Amino acid sequence: MGRIFMITLEGRIYSCKHCFTHLALLDDIISKSFHCGHGKAYLFDKVVNITEGEKEERMMMTGLHTVVDIFCVGCGSIVGWKYEAAHEKAQKYKEGKFILERFKVLGPDGGNYLAIQESLVGGSSDADDA
Amino acid sequence: MGGVEDDEPASKRMKLSSEELRRLSNGSTIKEPVAGSSRDLMARPLQSEGGEEVVGSKGVIKKVEFVRIIAKALYSLGYIKSGAHLEEESGIPLHSSVVNVFMRQILEGNWDESVVTLRNIGLTDERTVKSASFLILEQKFFELLDEEKAMDALNTLRTEIAPLGVNDSRVRELSSYIVSPSYCSLTRSPKQDTVRARSRSKLLEELQKLLPATVMVPEGRLEHLVEQALVLQRDACMFHNSLDKEMSLYSDHQCGRDQIPSQALQVYETGVSLKHKLSGHQKPLSSVSWSPDDRQLLTCGAEEVVRLWDVSSGECLHVYEKTGLGMVSCGWSPDGKWIFSGLNDKSICMWELDGKELECWKGQRTLKISDLEITGDGKQIISICRETAILLLDREAKVERFIEEDQTITSFSLSRDSRFLLINLLNQEIHLWNIEGDPKLVSKYRGHKRTRFIIRSCFGGLEQAFIASGSEDSLVYIWHRGTGELIETLPGHSGAVNCVSWNPANPHMLASASDDRTIRIWGLNNLSTKRKEPCSNGIHYCNGVY
């Protein structure tokens, strides 16, 4: 296989729970009040070492958004999504920002996160009406 | 409307006079037959807005200038009679009569008269007149010295040259020649001991350069214009990759696609042409680098050690390491005497071949994933020092320069002349930077795909006029460096193409390495031009051997 291009972060790092690839820094968290199918999710200003999926229109708790799923570059597992566009003005602050599902990452203290198995219809959830 | 073909011979070209153009635009046709006497077949120039006659379909060539430079070219070629005939037939003299007199006086050595004539030419810039007079009188001075008329020479210097008030330092030099003729042998004629005046025709050449071009047509003007056109054509030729193609004046130069490697000549699957198996590294390799003399190989394990191998024996000659740290990249000094390596504490170190550590640059110099390059003069170390920045470190002058990008940098490649850097970015763009002086962005190349891997690109072809890159869509991409146009995509690999290397000795050969575990050698599509050349030093980089 080719040599994967991977950025090494410094500081308090969130990493992929399967392959430990660095994904984001604690300092880049914008909000911790988001939700997803597996429980909590955090909104990040910047995430690295990910590849993007196809653009989709998704109805979230706060309205219709254009998102792309994001995948860890090391192992390919899905770790969250990125907001490409928000259809409502109040939600525009999310554009260009990333969601990492807490269940999919290891926190800076190395801690895992036990998923709350909420059976939510429609996949991703959203929230934080900041 | 009245369109003219430029590539028809001038004798057949018929331009319509403005009278006839008006008639045609009114819908009427020209009743008179076009063919006839040779006079009718002559190029009849159009009238430009300024009233001066012009030739050519675009109306930018003034007829008088055109004829004069042709006459000049004829004289330069030695066709004196033709040149004179042209002047007569066209009624356009190459030089005005005053200038002709002037030139004759120079060649005959009538210095004083020539200075007078110079004033009659009607030059507007007083400085030019003085500088020209200076040259003429300087010649007079030297010729007098040659004839051993030192007093006359001194007189000239005092009363004629010095009052001009031009080039006082030269005046002082000249006065010293009177005293000791041998002094000037250092500056004027190193092979001779005595003062020697240069030839009068040389003086005329100097004067020609000094005087405005309208007064005296510069030497070689027509040749220069034609060369300029040819060079422009060559630079615009996107597929220009062969010295064999001679440029012709008969038609605009345009190479065909067949000059670019586009056909896979050989496909190597690993293990087929194995010479040595170099074992020893415990970790996967992050980079491989040939020594400048091609006899040794440096390999770097990922955050491990750097090993030096002898290529012919396959023996490991040395292991370079630093306790507690891992190496991430390696490179050679251009004279093959020193090894450079990036370490995972972000520093860069330099060793002699025997392992003696010479220098270490600490601080944020390199990243865990970064290439390392040394420029051809051995002075600059190049590495990625931050996500979006490349460091150009002058190790002697201790000066740092930076290339700042907006996107994350994944890899880079240095041109053979060490003047340009090709940078691969995370967002699938390749940027070309000029790294002489203040780094400047020159071009961008797009089209290939990169999402996960380090994809490498390189310079290649005749005078490195092309950029080649791997891509995650299994194609090899080739751009024309000057225009940025994508000129070829080569299918064949069945996996991501990780790196490419254009043979530095053969502009028609390219190698590519892919996730499909093969190496492909690409050559020209034309079987008859296929050459069997050893692929030496064909592959500079390995993306990583797992």
Side-chain angles (χ1 to χ4, degrees):
Chain A
M1 187 174 69
R3 192 171 167 209
I4 299 178
F5 180 74
M6 261 190 220
I7 295 172
T8 311
L9 295 171
E10 276 169 38
R12 292 167 294 180
I13 302 168
Y14 285 87
S15 48
C16 171
K17 77 170 185 188
H18 301 290
C19 66
F20 312 116
T21 301
H22 292 184
L23 293 174
L25 290 171
L26 182 134
D27 296 330
D28 287 330
I29 294 179
I30 299 172
S31 163
K32 287 188 169 182
S33 318
F34 279 77
H35 304 283
C36 65
H38 295 118
K40 276 185 160 203
Y42 297 165
L43 184 69
F44 282 86
D45 189 38
K46 187 181 164 191
V47 165
V48 297
N49 297 331
I50 44 127
T51 55
E52 293 175 10
E54 297 292 322
K55 279 199 192 151
E56 275 178 36
E57 302 290 320
R58 244 178 247 170
M59 181 54 79
M60 308 248 177
M61 280 161 65
T62 53
L64 193 65
H65 295 76
T66 312
V67 299
V68 292
D69 283 328
I70 55 177
F71 306 85
C72 166
V73 91
C75 60
S77 50
I78 187 167
V79 292
W81 64 88
K82 178 187 177 190
Y83 290 101
E84 291 287 336
H87 293 248
E88 284 163 51
K89 232 170 126 185
Q91 308 302 320
K92 291 275 180 195
Y93 73 96
K94 297 172 186 163
E95 286 182 359
K97 310 280 188 268
F98 303 82
I99 289 286
L100 286 184
E101 297 187 20
R102 190 61 190 85
F103 177 58
K104 293 298 181 63
V105 301
L106 295 175
D109 50 0
N112 229 325
Y113 173 80
L114 295 169
I116 301 164
Q117 294 296 342
E118 297 164 14
S119 50
L120 283 166
V121 180
S124 11
S125 322
D126 208 29
D128 185 292
D129 255 309
Chain B
M1 186 19 238
V4 182
E5 305 306 320
D6 270 356
D7 38 29
E8 279 179 59
S11 61
K12 287 221 175 98
R13 211 185 308 149
M14 220 264 318
K15 310 258 191 315
L16 304 172
S17 71
S18 40
E19 241 277 300
E20 285 158 320
L21 277 171
R22 242 182 295 121
R23 270 194 277 147
L24 276 177
S25 63
N26 286 343
S28 57
T29 51
I30 301 179
K31 292 281 164 65
E32 292 120 30
V34 168
S37 70
S38 59
R39 203 176 62 82
D40 281 344
L41 289 173
M42 232 164 51
R44 273 188 251 153
L46 296 165
Q47 297 290 126
S48 79
E49 285 134 26
E52 272 185 69
E53 290 182 79
V54 290
V55 293
S57 58
K58 299 208 196 310
V60 292
I61 306 176
K62 298 198 191 80
K63 181 185 169 195
V64 169
E65 291 187 358
F66 197 47
V67 171
R68 282 179 79 198
I69 61 171
I70 293 175
K72 183 80 191 182
L74 285 172
Y75 284 122
S76 301
L77 288 166
Y79 305 135
I80 313 293
K81 281 196 276 186
S82 300
H85 189 66
L86 174 59
E87 288 191 67
E88 193 200 312
E89 200 177 10
S90 65
I92 298 170
L94 175 58
H95 297 126
S96 66
S97 48
V98 181
V99 173
N100 276 332
V101 167
F102 176 68
M103 285 167 61
R104 206 178 43 244
Q105 285 169 338
I106 296 290
L107 291 172
E108 288 170 5
N110 301 336
W111 310 119
D112 299 329
E113 291 100 331
S114 67
V115 176
V116 174
T117 314
L118 180 64
R119 296 215 162 261
N120 289 343
I121 290 176
L123 298 167
T124 46
D125 191 353
E126 188 59 29
R127 270 176 309 158
T128 314
V129 175
K130 286 200 173 156
S131 304
S133 307
F134 189 93
L135 282 175
I136 298 169
L137 293 166
E138 198 185 27
Q139 181 74 12
K140 176 180 174 185
F141 173 83
F142 279 113
E143 287 200 3
L144 285 170
L145 280 184
D146 269 357
E147 294 161 23
E148 308 203 351
K149 295 184 184 154
M151 284 316 295
D152 287 337
L154 185 60
N155 204 26
T156 306
L157 185 62
R158 275 221 205 102
T159 60
E160 291 170 39
I161 299 179
L164 284 174
V166 175
N167 206 347
D168 292 329
S169 55
R170 181 68 179 152
V171 171
R172 282 192 286 277
E173 255 182 62
L174 293 176
S175 59
S176 62
Y177 295 169
I178 301 178
V179 175
S180 77
S182 60
Y183 167 74
C184 91
S185 65
L186 290 162
T187 49
R188 275 240 175 193
S189 39
K191 296 183 195 137
Q192 293 155 319
D193 291 323
T194 52
V195 177
R196 264 275 160 182
R198 59 186 167 177
S199 74
R200 289 173 186 172
S201 40
K202 271 241 157 253
L203 171 65
L204 198 54
E205 262 178 57
E206 282 293 306
L207 287 166
Q208 224 164 44
K209 286 185 210 161
L210 193 61
L211 296 174
T214 45
V215 169
M216 278 176 110
V217 176
E219 198 67 44
R221 185 65 193 154
L222 182 60
E223 293 88 325
H224 170 80
L225 287 170
V226 172
E227 273 178 349
Q228 215 175 54
L230 289 176
V231 167
L232 278 170
Q233 282 174 18
R234 189 193 63 202
D235 288 346
C237 176
M238 291 210 299
F239 303 109
H240 192 83
N241 200 21
S242 209
L243 276 174
D244 306 322
K245 274 270 180 186
E246 279 156 7
M247 303 203 66
S248 166
L249 294 179
Y250 296 133
S251 58
D252 282 1
H253 176 78
Q254 182 65 48
C255 281
R257 287 212 126 96
D258 55 309
Q259 295 299 312
I260 311 296
S262 55
Q263 183 168 38
L265 300 178
Q266 286 158 311
V267 179
Y268 294 116
E269 303 190 24
T270 50
V272 169
S273 28
L274 200 60
K275 184 167 179 192
H276 290 292
K277 213 164 176 177
L278 309 174
S279 313
H281 278 290
Q282 308 293 326
K283 296 270 186 71
L285 292 187
S286 61
S287 60
V288 171
S289 185
W290 287 88
S291 67
D293 65 3
D294 291 346
R295 294 219 290 252
Q296 290 165 331
L297 203 63
L298 267 187
T299 58
C300 180
E303 293 196 59
E304 200 215 21
V305 300
V306 169
R307 284 173 180 267
L308 179 67
W309 309 85
D310 179 276
V311 173
S312 43
S313 68
E315 198 192 321
C316 179
L317 300 174
H318 207 277
V319 178
Y320 306 91
E321 53 190 330
K322 261 195 144 176
T323 29
L325 295 174
M327 335 277 256
V328 300
S329 59
C330 60
W332 289 87
S333 68
D335 53 15
K337 291 204 202 125
W338 298 304
I339 312 276
F340 294 83
S341 174
L343 294 112
N344 60 3
D345 70 346
K346 305 197 190 120
S347 63
I348 296 177
C349 272
M350 179 172 139
W351 286 269
E352 270 177 20
L353 283 186
D354 60 12
K356 179 171 148 212
E357 183 179 321
L358 291 174
E359 226 181 311
C360 194
W361 294 271
K362 296 209 190 284
Q364 180 91 37
R365 312 287 180 178
T366 189
L367 302 177
K368 283 194 188 163
I369 290 198
S370 171
D371 303 320
L372 193 68
E373 292 262 24
I374 318 294
T375 53
D377 57 10
K379 289 194 190 146
Q380 313 256 2
I381 302 174
I382 306 176
S383 88
I384 305 174
C385 64
R386 268 178 286 122
E387 231 176 86
T388 55
I390 286 186
L391 167 68
L392 305 159
L393 172 63
D394 187 324
R395 58 187 186 89
E396 285 171 10
K398 311 259 192 260
V399 171
E400 292 178 354
R401 292 180 294 152
F402 295 92
I403 293 178
E404 303 273 355
E405 283 278 6
D406 296 322
Q407 288 279 328
T408 306
I409 300 168
T410 58
S411 66
F412 65 84
S413 170
L414 187 61
S415 68
R416 205 178 320 151
D417 57 10
S418 299
R419 290 167 59 209
F420 293 90
L421 205 63
L422 200 61
I423 301 179
N424 286 7
L425 299 170
L426 196 80
N427 68 347
Q428 302 181 135
E429 283 186 11
I430 301 177
H431 288 184
L432 177 65
W433 285 74
N434 181 329
I435 57 169
E436 288 184 305
D438 283 329
K440 288 170 283 287
L441 179 62
V442 174
S443 293
K444 295 187 184 183
Y445 308 95
R446 294 187 190 91
H448 67 297
K449 301 278 175 281
R450 189 225 83 88
T451 52
R452 289 180 74 200
F453 302 110
I454 295 178
I455 299 290
R456 297 195 184 279
S457 54
C458 68
F459 295 87
L462 190 69
E463 290 179 35
Q464 301 212 309
F466 302 97
I467 304 289
S469 175
S471 172
E472 284 176 15
D473 61 9
S474 313
L475 303 170
V476 173
Y477 283 71
I478 301 180
W479 292 266
H480 180 245
R481 176 175 162 180
T483 58
E485 290 261 330
L486 180 63
I487 56 176
E488 276 285 8
T489 50
L490 309 180
H493 278 297
S494 49
V497 181
N498 294 300
C499 66
V500 289
S501 184
W502 208 303
N503 191 324
N506 179 358
H508 300 145
M509 186 186 282
L510 178 62
S512 60
S514 162
D515 275 354
D516 64 6
R517 299 166 195 259
T518 69
I519 295 169
R520 275 176 184 250
I521 309 292
W522 306 84
L524 297 183
N525 215 350
N526 189 355
L527 286 172
S528 61
T529 59
K530 199 162 52 171
R531 275 172 280 190
K532 299 270 182 240
E533 289 205 23
C535 184
S536 68
N537 215 10
I539 298 170
H540 293 247
Y541 285 104
C542 235
N543 57 293
V545 178
Y546 285 84

